[in-house]
Amino acid sequence: MKRIAVLASGRGSNFQAVIDAIASGKIPAACVVLITDNPGAYAIERAGKAGIPVKIIDFASFPTREAYEQALLAAMEEARADLYVLAGYMRILGSEVVRAFPGKMVNIHPALLPSFTGLHAQRQAVLHGVKVAGCTVHFVDDSLDGGPIILQKCVPVMDDDGEDDLADRILEQEHIAFPEAIRLFCENRLEIVGRKVRVRK
Ligand code: GRF
């Protein structure tokens, strides 16, 4: 049974999808901790309901970014997780943290990478006028949203879509894609080969 640690900063609907997939036996893992940088995150309540311990590393309470990163690194090491799951973690992780867990950290991004990296990916997609959008689950490396891709799901973009319409349509797919990718990891079926991720049958 794998140990999963989740990092989330906000409402935590992807975190909830992971909790539910573990509870229903779809992901063979235990979620050992929620780590958050935001004491007001709704994800904290979701953890409470699921009996998952919470570690708050409040960015605002540290004198420097380095001090915050050291506390975060310590909390992550303490979790002794097989996989670190970034579920709407809204800070860019320092390279020391990223390098500490090579091949052991995944993120979900609400765009078909490598298009629309960074913040407000759904808004970027609407403004660009793309006809297809979606989400990407990928391993985390030093680049911004650039690590090896595990899986992607796509959705159509409608002519009248605003940012929120598209975000809602993508979010439904995120809640399918993220548990699926985490399940594959927990079943030891993912192999990183250069830029690619092979999925074993
Ligand atoms: C999601 O759109 C995810 O793709 C992005 O941040 C958002 C988090 O939403 N990284 P939630 O907190 O999981 O509801």
Side-chain angles (χ1 to χ4, degrees):
M1 184 82 103
K2 302 275 190 207
R3 294 167 63 85
I4 292 179
V6 173
L7 282 75
S9 303
R11 86 194 144 174
S13 70
N14 279 290
F15 175 39
Q16 188 67 53
V18 174
I19 292 172
D20 294 346
I22 290 174
S24 69
K26 281 188 198 133
I27 299 178
C31 182
V32 295
V33 69
L34 166 72
I35 300 173
T36 183
D37 57 325
N38 173 14
Y42 185 67
I44 294 171
E45 294 184 35
R46 298 183 190 271
K49 283 190 192 131
I52 296 166
V54 177
K55 186 108 193 171
I56 301 174
I57 316 274
D58 182 0
F59 184 80
S61 72
F62 290 89
T64 61
R65 188 177 171 86
E66 288 68 32
Y68 163 78
E69 293 268 347
Q70 285 310 314
L72 178 63
L73 184 57
M76 291 174 76
E77 280 169 345
E78 198 190 322
R80 291 181 298 106
D82 299 295
L83 182 66
Y84 295 86
V85 169
L86 306 185
Y89 185 73
M90 298 312 282
R91 285 179 195 284
I92 294 172
L93 293 177
S95 58
E96 198 189 342
V97 173
V98 171
R99 287 191 192 141
F101 309 102
K104 292 173 76 174
M105 202 185 300
V106 292
N107 180 47
I108 185 148
H109 184 75
L112 294 174
L113 291 171
S115 290
F116 311 131
T117 56
L119 288 176
H120 309 299
Q122 305 95 329
R123 186 188 308 167
Q124 294 182 53
V126 167
L127 291 176
H128 198 88
V130 294
K131 304 295 188 191
V132 178
C135 62
T136 303
V137 186
H138 63 93
F139 282 106
V140 176
D141 66 11
D142 260 351
S143 60
L144 175 66
D145 297 325
I149 291 172
I150 301 169
L151 60 85
Q152 297 182 300
K153 302 263 183 210
C154 57
V155 300
V157 183
M158 307 302 184
D159 286 349
D160 298 330
D161 272 351
E163 178 183 355
D164 291 346
D165 303 303
L166 182 59
D168 289 348
R169 200 172 305 123
I170 294 172
L171 192 64
E172 265 181 48
Q173 296 304 310
E174 294 184 38
H175 296 162
I176 298 168
F178 215 12
E180 200 173 311
I182 294 166
R183 176 175 63 82
L184 291 170
F185 180 92
C186 291
E187 292 174 350
N188 296 316
R189 290 171 59 191
L190 301 180
E191 188 188 353
I192 303 176
V193 185
R195 265 222 54 82
K196 292 191 187 167
V197 177
R198 278 180 201 282
V199 181
R200 294 194 201 94
K201 291 266 183 285

